Amino acid sequence: MSIFLKFRARTGASNEAAVVDIAESNASEESSQHIRRGPFRPDVWVNARQRNALRLRTFYYRGVDIAITALLALGWLTYPAAISSIGQLTIAQVAPYAVGWLCAMWFLISANLYNFGPSSHVWRHVAATVMVSFVGLLAGLIVQAVTSVSAWSDYLLWAGLTLIAIAILHLIWASAAVRSRKNGALTPNIVLVGATRYAELLITQALKRRDINILGIFDDRTDRSPDAICGVPVLGPVSDLLTHRLTPYLDCIALTLSPDAADRVGQLERQLSILPNKIAVLLQSDEPDADEITRALDKLAYTPVHLLNPPINDDRRAFCKRLQDLVLGSLALCALMPFLLLIGAWVRLDSRGPALFRQRRHGFNHEEIVVWKFRTMHHNRADNAGIRQVTADDDRITRAGRFLRATSLDELPQLLNVVLGQMSLVGPRPHAIGMKTGQVVSADIVAEYAHRHRIKPGMTGWAAIKGSRGPMHSAADVRRRVQLDIDYIERQSFWFDLWIMARTLPVLLGDKVAMR
């Protein structure tokens, strides 16, 4: 039976980014330390949010290529006259350059030359981009031959300069991608569940290839499991993975179990379903050969993870959302800066303490982030852990704080979180870590609670404009909030976000009941 992989999107839990110290026990014994750390330890640790941002750079690369080559064509057409002379050009003069440029760019994109895979060699990639661009520019040369308005030498010189520009740009892009993979910033991080013989075969082949990081192994059979397999540490039982500090850094969790352990596979899938990470179930033959192992690792290392359910956000959607956040967030932050300074001064004059309040909350992939707000409570009574939620006539809230909460102006400093990429303008509201509803941790009330971390948290969101704002005092409140957040994640789009932003201000100002 050949290997095949099933992938499933998950949502869930993690802890903070102190991964540098993961699994270290005895600093004085170098050999022991090496075994505990494992042979796949990357030089640079980046979490899932940062890794996604690195992958989305290819959209910026594409934009720079289009802009520079377009400017080169525009400058060539108008040189040595002024740029205003472009209006005097005829269609016959412009057509060869326009067709050549459009075809070159279209061929580059269609040939997936902005997909810098693990096997990409820098000079091979540059050669491929030059060849593909050359084919596109030939289309313009054909148009030049038909129109015969200007000299062939002019077009050929421009085409040569364009090829050189594309080659230089892709040399930079490919070199950056290779460098990021070498230091581990782009190399996929996975953990294995099951300290089995098959896990040993996977690790052995992965050590030879070095295009995937296997950071550790989890196995419930702790009494029979070794301390390490080929240097990769066994970090504990599967239950430890649910709250392990590695979780925010993982791209995938691979189950390496026997093919006849179908019941155990189902049990583990249910147990790990609260995690945000993708899960790969490896169903293998009893005696897998080298080709089967290679195919399994290729799917993990080279190809996009294929999910049983369609992906919530493809790269294009994620890029558009990030661009929306960066442009609108930066404009809002600059425009509102004088207003923010006035609010900060008012908070300082109203009560003793700093103007800003910061709190650790869960972000994308359960990453811990520091969220900024204007302080609305007395400094010595602030609840950093979010254990006690706000109630009506809460005596901890200052006079200025009541107004700021009623208008949600206390959330405006989170524009800084948006610009930094930790939050989005629209998304599920970030909750304090360990926040309680009554005497119960809110995350324990609804099994799907962690699914709201499949996307960046937002300053506003679908739940906010649908009335689910502020504290959650009952299990019903938690269930409704989680359901609305999941509804948003499944519907998210550029235009849906704009509609939510447009609805936010009138909804918040018109709500005199909800406590915030």
Side-chain angles (χ1 to χ4, degrees), residues 27 31 36 56 96 106 124 163 180 223 235 313 351 359 445 454 464 470 483 486 505:
S31 60
R36 297 287 290 169
L56 292 178
W106 185 69
R124 192 180 304 154
L163 289 176
S180 295
D223 55 332
L235 300 176
N313 282 314
S351 61
Q359 188 177 54
I445 294 176
R454 286 152 56 185
Q483 184 58 55
I486 293 175
L505 188 59

Side-chain angles (χ1 to χ4, degrees), residues 436-497:
K436 290 187 176 182
T437 300
Q439 299 300 315
V440 182
V441 176
S442 302
D444 295 339
I445 294 176
V446 183
E448 295 82 10
Y449 183 90
H451 288 218
R452 57 196 308 278
H453 300 132
R454 286 152 56 185
I455 201 169
K456 289 180 186 178
M459 293 184 63
T460 185
W462 182 236
I465 68 170
K466 297 296 287 185
S468 181
R469 297 182 292 278
M472 299 179 293
H473 295 298
S474 67
D477 292 339
V478 179
R479 293 190 191 96
R480 184 165 186 266
R481 177 76 57 83
V482 171
Q483 184 58 55
L484 288 169
D485 288 339
I486 293 175
D487 287 346
Y488 165 74
I489 293 172
E490 293 173 349
R491 298 174 59 184
Q492 191 275 322
S493 70
F494 178 85
W495 297 109
F496 190 43
D497 283 356

Side-chain angles (χ1 to χ4, degrees), residues 406-439:
T407 56
S408 293
L409 292 175
D410 59 320
E411 311 286 354
L412 288 180
Q414 289 165 30
L415 286 169
L416 182 61
N417 293 105
V418 171
V419 173
L420 292 175
Q422 299 165 336
M423 289 179 59
S424 181
L425 290 171
V426 182
R429 285 294 299 155
H431 293 164
I433 298 171
M435 184 181 73
K436 290 187 176 182
T437 300
Q439 299 300 315

Side-chain angles (χ1 to χ4, degrees), residues 126 129-130 162-172:
V126 171
T129 58
V130 170
T162 301
L163 289 176
I164 292 172
I166 291 173
I168 293 173
L169 288 169
H170 277 260
L171 177 62
I172 297 172

